[in-house]
Amino acid sequence: MSEDAKIHWADLKLGAELEAQLTLGPISRTDIVRYQGASGDFQPIHHDEPFAKAAGYDAPLVVGMYPAGVLGTWAAQVLGPERIRSIRFRFQAMVWPGDQLCAKAVVEKLDDERLEGEFHLSLVNQRDEEVISAQITAQFEG
Amino acid sequence: MVNRASEGLVGKSFDFPVERGKVLEFLEATGGDPEVFGDFIPPTYLTSAFFWEARVQGADVKEAVGFDPSRSVHAEQAFRFEGEPPRIGEKLQASSRVARIYEKVNRKGQTLTFVDVVTDFVDEAGTVRAVASMLALEFPE
């Protein structure tokens, strides 16, 4: 990332939305399988249709760590990967193949002494339901 | 059915090398640009420790917890880094533990069982580099 593209500490304002936006989807079964291969979590309920149906679902439910991973990767890319110090996700609603998700980041806390910022990330689906709520902290150099 | 007796269980430690090909595969799966990340891992990359954990018998404490996949969901997930996130080339060692098992009654009057599994990642000098925490919940039958 070029230095100019990075967000500067002085530009952060409490409660302000960052300019960047994430859009993801429509999520395909291939997206799920690619993520499961990369993560090593082969829980069949996320790709095996008969298995998911036997468990009472209409379709394989999307493994939550896939949209969480996309959200985390996107936020790290926006803030600077080396600055990330923590991320926490709360899975609020199930995500299904075909869903279209989008996310924004809002500045939630600014610690001027430590130059640490906390950002709230909200991932919502096409029905405007929040599917993942997350907090990410980033340490900015002086 | 969650086995309450698994609370406090500590798994065997396992090697977790941070490899370029695996990081690139993970970036591709999560929509990341390798040029932006350079040698740094994306924030959720440590979840791929499953592969290495499965290679050491007694490392995966989730086996002892005994979740029923049709009744359990992933409620929360967190990653905390000590300083900058790990980079490609680091040779980490990890171990997982069942940090806590507890119950809560929800608004429908159902008793939900929560399980918090924590994985610590240390570097070759023995310094903690990252901590991952997975909170899962199981609904009653």
Side-chain angles (χ1 to χ4, degrees):
Chain A
M1 190 190 279
S2 76
E3 284 303 308
D4 315 335
K6 277 192 180 172
I7 292 173
H8 296 280
W9 177 256
D11 298 335
L12 296 174
K13 287 192 178 66
L14 205 60
E17 220 169 66
L18 299 188
E19 248 177 63
Q21 286 190 23
L22 167 71
T23 55
L24 169 63
I27 295 173
S28 69
R29 284 158 176 76
T30 303
D31 294 329
I32 299 171
V33 168
R34 186 187 293 116
Y35 176 79
Q36 285 199 279
S39 75
D41 170 9
F42 288 98
Q43 170 53 245
I45 210 160
H46 303 304
H47 60 262
D48 183 331
E49 207 100 13
F51 187 96
K53 285 186 171 156
Y57 299 111
D58 293 335
L61 62 136
V62 174
V63 53
M65 285 307 292
Y66 168 56
V70 172
L71 188 62
T73 293
W74 169 75
Q77 209 156 283
V78 170
L79 296 168
E82 73 285 2
R83 291 171 170 168
I84 305 308
R85 293 296 177 271
S86 70
I87 190 160
R88 173 178 293 275
F89 303 94
R90 280 180 199 84
F91 300 99
Q92 311 279 29
M94 284 180 181
V95 179
W96 301 99
D99 277 359
Q100 299 191 56
L101 310 177
C102 63
K104 287 177 183 172
V106 174
V107 183
E108 199 163 61
K109 279 184 201 160
L110 293 174
D111 183 332
D112 283 310
E113 269 176 36
R114 300 173 64 194
L115 297 183
E116 196 174 89
E118 187 175 306
F119 303 83
H120 178 75
L121 311 172
S122 182
L123 190 65
V124 300
N125 66 17
Q126 64 278 12
R127 292 178 297 279
D128 217 26
E129 297 161 337
E130 185 174 60
V131 294
I132 295 176
S133 153
Q135 257 85 29
I136 187 165
T137 60
Q139 164 77 59
F140 292 71
E141 294 301 326
Chain B
M1 178 85 186
V2 167
N3 170 21
R4 295 293 301 258
S6 64
E7 185 174 36
L9 183 71
V10 179
K12 283 220 176 103
S13 72
F14 57 97
D15 290 328
F16 179 60
V18 183
E19 300 161 299
R20 185 172 301 281
K22 193 68 196 173
V23 172
L24 289 175
E25 182 190 11
F26 198 88
L27 282 173
E28 189 165 295
T30 58
D33 180 348
E35 281 197 24
V36 175
F37 281 86
D39 284 343
F40 287 104
I41 61 166
T44 66
Y45 177 74
L46 298 177
T47 195
S48 71
F50 290 132
F51 179 86
W52 292 96
E53 193 172 49
R55 269 156 178 73
V56 174
Q57 207 175 2
D60 185 2
V61 293
K62 293 189 297 304
E63 286 173 7
V65 174
F67 291 109
D68 178 344
S70 66
R71 291 191 287 121
S72 54
V73 296
H74 196 174
E76 292 185 20
Q77 179 71 42
F79 299 93
R80 198 185 76 235
F81 303 118
E82 297 295 334
E84 291 187 341
R87 298 180 198 215
I88 291 166
E90 286 193 46
K91 291 181 172 67
L92 302 177
Q93 253 208 348
S95 74
S96 296
R97 55 196 156 92
V98 183
R100 199 176 160 215
I101 299 179
Y102 57 98
E103 289 179 347
K104 266 189 191 172
V105 178
N106 69 5
R107 273 172 279 178
K108 293 178 192 164
Q110 297 172 300
T111 301
L112 310 179
T113 308
F114 289 80
V115 182
D116 189 13
V117 176
V118 173
T119 308
D120 299 294
F121 296 83
V122 300
D123 64 16
E124 286 175 292
T127 308
V128 176
R129 297 284 287 113
V131 179
S133 162
M134 179 202 76
L135 186 69
L137 77 86
E138 190 175 84
F139 292 95
E141 279 183 79

